[in-house]
Amino acid sequence: NAGVTQTPKFQVLKTGQSMTLQCAQDMNHEYMSWYRQDPGMGLRLIHYSVGAGITDQGEVPNGYNVSRSTTEDFPLRLLSAAPSQTSVYFCASSLRGREQYFGPGTRLTVT
Amino acid sequence: DQQVKQNSPSLSVQEGRISILNCDYTNSMFDYFLWYKKYPAEGPTFLISISSIKDKNEDGRFTVFLNKSAKHLSLHIVPSQPGDSAVYFCAARPVGADGLTFGKGTHLIIQP
């Protein structure tokens, strides 16, 4: 099992550009989520999904879109990047009600 | 308003001694608590969890204690080893939900 994989590992964007952060898991987990971590802060929930076709907002959803067309994939889209979105992004997955497993992260810088 | 608080940004412990990391929470709806360990440039790794129906859970060198009346939990690591040096995050999940609320983390440094 590869677990939770994320691509790319690093990305630099200019303000206003768009991009998609990829996340995939091979554990057949129903639940997937995106968090961001800023310096000196804990992880904060952006969006989550409890199954294919079902998504919902977390604590800090503004500026991000998600979709879940398959159980395995949960991409995070930035439509118009802003410097405030400079952060490290983590994808996680789990069975419902169980501990979440995290990917290695994507470090995003918006200039 | 922080619902999960880890008031010690860092903690230094001698190798072989006990490490105690603390976490406080304010939301009475939290019923499941987890500890994650994170090395630089890696994702958080699940360590141990506890349900609100228990007050203690053990897994090898790691024990988590939950005091619901005080809204406080702690992670004990005995004995501490050099590989335990990392940032430890406390996280909590409310009843009926899956999303986690994290504390800001405690950087544990194990001194040889």
Side-chain angles (χ1 to χ4, degrees):
Chain A
N1 280 0
V4 180
T5 58
Q6 293 184 235
T7 55
K9 283 193 183 318
F10 301 94
Q11 183 70 49
V12 179
L13 288 179
K14 292 189 186 324
T15 298
Q17 286 185 318
S18 63
M19 80 159 295
T20 299
L21 280 64
Q22 301 292 344
C23 174
Q25 53 91 9
D26 61 359
M27 298 174 280
N28 204 29
H29 286 168
E30 310 103 315
Y31 181 82
M32 295 186 74
S33 55
W34 278 100
Y35 294 83
R36 60 177 287 174
Q37 184 190 16
D38 300 303
M41 301 284 288
L43 284 72
R44 291 183 293 168
L45 182 63
I46 304 171
H47 283 286
Y48 65 94
S49 168
V50 298
I54 307 169
T55 63
D56 207 343
Q57 297 181 351
E59 182 189 352
V60 289
N62 292 342
Y64 308 95
N65 280 350
V66 292
S67 60
R68 181 106 179 261
S69 55
T70 66
T71 300
E72 294 78 21
D73 300 296
F74 191 45
L76 178 72
R77 280 183 289 279
L78 285 71
L79 296 179
S80 178
S84 61
Q85 294 178 304
T86 293
S87 189
V88 182
Y89 291 84
F90 293 102
C91 179
S93 75
S94 71
L95 294 171
R96 296 299 301 278
R98 299 297 305 271
E99 65 274 9
Q100 294 182 27
Y101 293 89
F102 284 82
T106 294
R107 185 174 293 272
L108 175 68
T109 302
V110 183
T111 61
Chain B
D1 181 32
Q2 262 195 288
Q3 298 185 55
V4 177
K5 299 178 187 177
Q6 293 178 257
N7 291 321
S8 300
S10 66
L11 175 67
S12 184
V13 174
Q14 261 195 313
E15 182 179 354
R17 308 292 283 263
I18 182 172
S19 296
I20 300 176
L21 294 91
N22 294 303
C23 178
D24 297 293
Y25 62 97
T26 58
N27 189 341
S28 304
M29 296 301 290
F30 289 145
D31 72 338
Y32 189 62
F33 304 88
L34 308 90
W35 285 94
Y36 283 86
K37 174 180 178 179
K38 187 181 179 306
Y39 293 119
E42 293 185 10
T45 302
F46 170 72
L47 264 181
I48 191 168
S49 62
I50 187 166
S51 163
S52 60
I53 63 172
K54 294 187 173 182
D55 54 20
K56 177 182 172 182
N57 190 25
E58 241 175 307
D59 184 1
R61 295 187 298 115
F62 302 93
T63 303
V64 56
F65 295 92
L66 175 62
N67 182 334
K68 288 188 292 293
S69 60
K71 292 192 174 68
H72 176 84
L73 60 154
S74 60
L75 175 68
H76 293 211
I77 306 173
V78 183
S80 300
Q81 298 174 354
D84 296 331
S85 294
V87 177
Y88 288 78
F89 289 100
C90 172
R93 192 185 71 202
V95 176
D98 291 275
L100 299 176
T101 300
F102 282 82
K104 292 186 179 182
T106 296
H107 186 194
L108 177 64
I109 301 160
I110 305 302
Q111 307 271 12

